[in-house]
Amino acid sequence: MLSLFLSLLAAQGQDPAPPLAVYAEPSPRGAVRFARPLIVWPIRFAGSVGTPKVEVKLNGRPAEAAYDPVLGAVVYRPQGPLPAGKNTVECIVKVPEQVPFVREWTFDVQPGAVEGPPPPTQSQVEALELVNALRGHHRLEPALPSPELVLAAQAHADYLAANKDVTHDQTAGKPRFLAATVPERLRTFAYPWPAEELVGFATTDVRDSVVAIFGSPYHRIYFMTPGEPDLGVGVNGNYVCLLFGPETEKVAVPSPPDGVGDVPLDWPGGMGFPKRPNQPYGYPILLRHGRDERDVRDLTVSIKAGGKTIAAIVRDGRTDTHMKGGVVAVPEKPLPPRIEVEVRITLTTRSGQTLEFPWSFNTGS
């Protein structure tokens, strides 16, 4: 994740003092393999400053960049491919009654860098459609393909297929090696934000690979990313790599969704929950609440069916890094068939605010 740090920039002799500016490292940095990278400088203001004025030069020439208040960043996409070698960005952000915020940085476009991903294959289209169908089931907007994430996801799917492996890491010297870790691959293709990588494989087809990925609660939580997040889909054979960008909206998302029916009764476990094929768990129940786990003081989960309490294993972002901004409750036994299940999750913030998240769904047979 981009490392945030604070800067109090005081305008000499001016009163009142300037607002707090929170900014992060610009992007891209280092060597990149994408010739039309998104050029970004994240910078936010705590005070009311109106619309910041932006001046950007790319390799000495003015660029039509703008400040995006939703992203909290200066953003610019070059119209055409940048030249190989060193490229220089000069960025000035001006707000009323403040000294300008200035940043200059360089990055290197590698020889042979691509201008963008090729047209999607039929398998990529099928995987993308299924991802967004699952999001639609949760009443979420479609995720939007990002060229940077598509390139990174496809490169990793190619690595997985070449090595017949399902992993987030790559090993130097192996076929189709690009970069060892997810953050390194994101930087290689100049993606400026954090992203979560999900990988999977099924012996049958691509759709089953996506369904298998979704089946884990540690993966489903990212399918539930609210807003219209960036998405990268990579497919090679039945190996699938998905990359989800950050949320673009703050809204709580429950799963199974409120009011749906025919919810599965059980789940065999896996990925953090010991597999129990002969004594399965109940179907996992999730809430993506979007709160920073450092702001959560207490959290309780109530699950009832037919007036009876259902015992569950509960994990959230305070103790489980896979559940940042969310909570999962895995019933210890299969859910009862053909019944309404009522869920209530209560979250208390460190400031004492209490947030209630009630919803219900119906199980299948």
Side-chain angles (χ1 to χ4, degrees):
M1 180 177 289
L2 296 172
S3 58
L4 291 178
F5 57 99
L6 303 179
S7 175
L8 284 173
L9 298 180
Q12 294 181 355
Q14 293 184 358
D15 189 35
L20 186 68
V22 184
Y23 58 96
E25 286 299 304
S27 177
R29 302 293 296 270
V32 298
R33 296 191 181 188
F34 185 28
R36 291 188 61 234
L38 199 62
I39 293 169
V40 173
W41 185 27
I43 178 170
R44 291 184 182 272
F45 306 94
S48 177
V49 297
T51 302
K53 294 183 178 180
V54 174
E55 297 176 8
V56 171
K57 288 184 178 180
L58 178 57
N59 297 327
R61 297 181 177 181
E64 295 184 3
Y67 183 81
D68 187 319
V70 176
L71 296 175
V74 178
V75 180
Y76 172 67
R77 171 86 70 186
Q79 296 298 310
L82 299 178
K86 181 179 178 180
N87 288 261
T88 301
V89 182
E90 302 167 73
C91 182
I92 302 175
V93 180
K94 298 179 179 179
V95 295
E97 301 181 358
Q98 312 298 325
V99 295
F101 296 77
V102 181
R103 191 65 188 261
E104 179 176 326
W105 73 95
T106 63
F107 61 93
D108 292 308
V109 175
Q110 295 186 322
V114 298
E115 295 184 27
T121 65
Q122 183 60 35
S123 293
Q124 283 177 300
V125 171
E126 289 179 7
L128 173 62
E129 290 178 346
L130 181 52
V131 168
N132 279 332
L134 291 166
R135 287 178 55 79
H137 179 66
H138 287 77
R139 305 182 184 112
L140 294 168
E141 295 297 319
L144 304 177
S146 152
E148 290 88 351
L149 291 187
V150 171
L151 288 167
Q154 187 58 51
H156 193 54
D158 292 340
Y159 175 90
L160 300 179
N163 296 282
K164 294 181 172 55
D165 195 5
V166 179
T167 176
H168 294 294
D169 299 322
Q170 295 188 7
T171 301
K174 287 191 173 183
R176 305 307 296 265
F177 172 79
L178 173 68
T181 66
V182 176
E184 289 173 326
R185 293 192 290 276
L186 296 178
R187 286 193 294 270
T188 295
F189 290 110
Y191 188 67
W193 318 109
E196 296 294 337
E197 182 183 84
L198 315 179
V199 295
F201 170 79
T203 58
T204 47
D205 58 27
V206 168
R207 292 181 63 84
D208 283 348
S209 297
V210 174
V211 170
I213 293 172
F214 179 82
S216 166
Y218 285 164
H219 288 160
R220 199 197 319 170
I221 194 76
Y222 297 111
F223 282 75
M224 296 160 57
T225 302
E228 297 179 323
D230 291 337
L231 176 65
V233 176
V235 179
N236 189 319
N238 291 341
Y239 289 90
V240 174
C241 176
L242 305 175
L243 282 165
F244 283 92
E247 61 188 25
T248 62
E249 185 180 348
K250 287 289 185 183
V251 61
V253 182
S255 181
D258 185 38
V260 302
D262 204 27
V263 171
L265 307 182
D266 56 33
W267 178 59
M271 194 175 176
F273 294 85
K275 289 189 175 183
R276 298 188 340 198
N278 298 322
Q279 293 180 315
Y281 304 91
Y283 189 73
I285 298 167
L286 287 82
L287 175 72
R288 182 167 180 140
H289 53 70
R291 308 287 299 202
D292 188 313
E293 52 272 9
R294 293 170 296 183
D295 188 41
V296 178
R297 187 178 70 192
D298 191 27
L299 187 147
T300 61
V301 177
S302 169
I303 307 172
K304 293 184 178 181
K308 296 181 179 180
T309 297
I310 295 176
I313 303 165
V314 177
R315 297 179 184 176
D316 73 292
R318 293 173 298 169
T319 56
D320 191 332
T321 57
H322 295 289
M323 275 291 131
K324 289 183 178 179
V327 54
V328 58
V330 179
E332 295 180 355
K333 296 180 180 180
L335 297 173
R338 299 179 300 279
I339 198 169
E340 183 182 36
V341 177
E342 298 175 301
V343 183
R344 179 176 294 272
I345 295 179
T346 304
L347 183 153
T348 305
T349 68
R350 294 201 176 276
S351 64
Q353 181 184 13
T354 298
L355 304 174
E356 297 276 357
F357 302 96
W359 79 98
S360 64
F361 58 86
N362 288 278
T363 58
S365 55

